[in-house]
Amino acid sequence: MARRLSFSIAQPITIVGWYIASVLLIALVSTASASLELAPGQSRALTEAFYYAIMAAGIYFIIATLMVFTVYGAFKGHYPKEFKLTMSQRTLMLQTISFMVYMLGGAAIYARVENWKFLDAVYWANFTLLTVGIGDFTPLTHLGRALLFPYAIGGIVILGLVVGSIRSLVLERGKKKLGSRMIEKKRERLLKRINTTGEAVKLTPVSNEQQARKVGMSERERRKEEFHLMRKIQDQASVRQKWTALLISGSAWFFLWFIGALVFYRSERNQSWTYFQSLYFAYTSLLTIGYGDYSPTSNSGKPFFVFWSLLAVPTLTILISNMGDTVVKGIRDLTIYLGEFTVLPGEASTKDRLKHSGYKLTNGKIFTKGPMMDESPGFLGEKRDEDGENRNQRSHAAAADHLAGALEQEELDEASAAKARGDKLDEDIHMYHFLLIKELRNVLKHLDESPPRKYSYEEWVWFLRLMGEDESSHTSHRKAPIKVKKENGEEPELQQGQTDDRDKLRQWSWVGNRSPLMGDAEEAEWVLERLSATLEKELKRQSKTQNRSPVGERPFSNGGNKS
């Protein structure tokens, strides 16, 4: 992580270390569980430490094996060979380590204050900080009860930070990856269906008037249909991705519930628990209800509860978040919908509400967009409402906006000066720079919007025009490939720009792999990056051609494509 050693050296050393630790623990627990000769009337019981060792050995082995797969993937080119932690990953790791140190440190203190065994104190600290509150262990001394005030609130705060990091890192990044995969699969299936129905001609660029008459639309109209087709793919893939994520997280939660209950049923045989009682205990513990009428007492049940409950926290967090995107959202929408018909009618008419419902239920197949439909983003960046949680992340954007504002005014002054002296070409150049900077400032405001900004086709036409692209010309357009294969051993290009590093024109399609609507980057991020690159290139060109006639066409000089 600190990159003091290369990946090829550090990773094998780490893997071998984990495997050695696992093998040593397995050897120890195997020796401890071997048959011993006991005197008549004597019996033995394996301690809690024995079961903690078994779980630790299993975790070490799993970690080492996963790292082996990572190394294999890196050398096969599936992952980068230089592993660099992002700030979010570092934060989650540090918060998780802090929580474990805090829990174990508190357990050590309470073991001495309350005269508990250390592992019993770990069990108590676990269900206390996770707010399960089983109640079979409670502090009885005045010092123990007094220390509970700061200890409990501190642990809950750290736990909240861990849960927040899990949400932002695992959920948001996982949703992007899963969403991109869903879109690619949906795109492939839809293109195959279009080809089999004989409508593939609509995906072929229109290069002349004769072809336009044959297809029945111009290149601009064809591209607009392509764009809306891609939006349809995105919407359908988004719905499927949300329900797939809910299915996966729900399955993981039910797995923890049923398997956990089975383990408690087997480990608490001394209490004669039935499987239903084990289900009841596991359920109340997973939801942090913790009535306390049932609690594990065996040396195997308490260590498993600690391990199991720590797994339950991120699982329940992910499940609740996925329910918020699907089930909870559906209930909320239904409540608002019924309220508009009953106690809280909105401004739209009943007819518009019914048409809006039909549009959403049929995905636009019955009704077109009406007055109640969500409107596309405003042309040239009209402001949307932003989520309050993102407002504290805009300091850098505000500084960039301030700088861009100064540059914008400078270019406008230069354009005015050129107009005053009658230099039409120089005026167009500075006005073009002014428009680029103006749109950069507008797009900067869209970066932190939640949900992420989605631009209308007209906005995309404008942005692409600023980048030197013309949606009415077929020059940079191509028929979208159904299956994108690797080229020269590299992964398929996703969300590529119209030009590569050598300024070579790249052909693309709205429903192809190079589309700006494909990949992990949000639309505002893509537009901001491309507008910035265009402005940088234009400023470099201006500096090279200063004091002499500019070479090449500008997007607004003669209306042609920029090469």
Side-chain angles (χ1 to χ4, degrees), residues 3 6-8 11 67 69-86 89 177 491:
R3 297 192 292 278
S6 65
F7 178 87
S8 58
Q11 198 76 341
M67 293 178 73
F69 284 116
T70 302
V71 171
Y72 177 79
F75 281 101
K76 284 292 184 179
H78 300 299
Y79 312 112
K81 292 186 178 181
E82 289 297 326
F83 182 69
K84 298 179 181 179
L85 288 176
T86 64
Q89 292 168 336
K177 295 290 185 183
E491 290 294 328

Side-chain angles (χ1 to χ4, degrees), residues 346-415:
E347 297 180 359
S349 64
T350 303
K351 180 181 177 181
D352 288 335
R353 293 192 192 101
L354 293 174
K355 290 179 68 175
H356 176 59
S357 302
Y359 175 86
K360 295 186 70 176
L361 290 174
T362 62
N363 201 22
K365 293 180 180 179
I366 296 181
F367 298 105
T368 58
K369 273 199 170 185
M372 282 191 65
M373 308 305 170
D374 295 332
E375 296 296 330
S376 298
F379 190 65
L380 293 183
E382 292 175 11
K383 188 174 179 63
R384 279 183 177 178
D385 291 333
E386 295 184 12
D387 196 351
E389 66 182 7
N390 291 324
R391 292 176 185 171
N392 61 345
Q393 301 175 0
R394 295 181 295 168
S395 57
H396 295 294
D401 181 68
H402 178 73
L403 178 60
L407 292 174
E408 179 183 336
Q409 186 60 44
E410 181 181 343
E411 291 293 339
L412 189 59
D413 293 341
E414 291 284 351

Side-chain angles (χ1 to χ4, degrees), residues 125-177:
N126 172 265
F127 71 66
T128 299
L129 298 185
L130 296 184
T131 68
V132 179
I134 294 178
D136 50 347
F137 283 85
T138 57
L140 300 177
T141 64
H142 289 300
L143 178 59
R145 290 170 176 170
L147 289 175
L148 180 66
F149 298 137
Y151 179 68
I153 192 65
I156 292 171
V157 168
I158 298 175
L159 180 63
L161 293 174
V162 173
V163 169
S165 295
I166 291 172
R167 177 182 175 83
S168 62
L169 179 64
V170 179
L171 289 179
E172 299 305 324
R173 290 175 179 266
K175 284 178 181 178
K176 284 186 177 182
K177 295 290 185 183

Side-chain angles (χ1 to χ4, degrees), residues 152-202:
I153 192 65
I156 292 171
V157 168
I158 298 175
L159 180 63
L161 293 174
V162 173
V163 169
S165 295
I166 291 172
R167 177 182 175 83
S168 62
L169 179 64
V170 179
L171 289 179
E172 299 305 324
R173 290 175 179 266
K175 284 178 181 178
K176 284 186 177 182
K177 295 290 185 183
L178 182 59
S180 299
R181 184 64 177 168
M182 291 282 188
I183 290 175
E184 177 60 22
K185 290 296 184 183
K186 183 67 178 177
R187 184 190 72 85
E188 290 179 8
R189 286 195 297 267
L190 188 59
L191 291 182
K192 287 179 181 178
R193 189 168 72 246
I194 290 175
N195 282 337
T196 55
T197 56
E199 297 181 356
V201 67
K202 294 183 179 180

Side-chain angles (χ1 to χ4, degrees), residues 67 80-81 123 230 234 321 325 327 357 380 391 414 443 456 546 561:
M67 293 178 73
K81 292 186 178 181
Y123 166 70
M230 190 62 195
Q234 285 181 314
S321 178
D325 291 338
V327 179
S357 302
L380 293 183
R391 292 176 185 171
E414 291 284 351
V443 175
S456 66
Q546 203 167 19
N561 282 336

Side-chain angles (χ1 to χ4, degrees), residues 234-254:
Q234 285 181 314
D235 293 340
Q236 293 178 355
S238 176
V239 172
R240 184 173 181 181
Q241 175 260 322
K242 290 176 181 178
W243 286 100
T244 300
L246 177 63
L247 178 63
I248 294 172
S249 58
S251 300
W253 189 86
F254 277 104

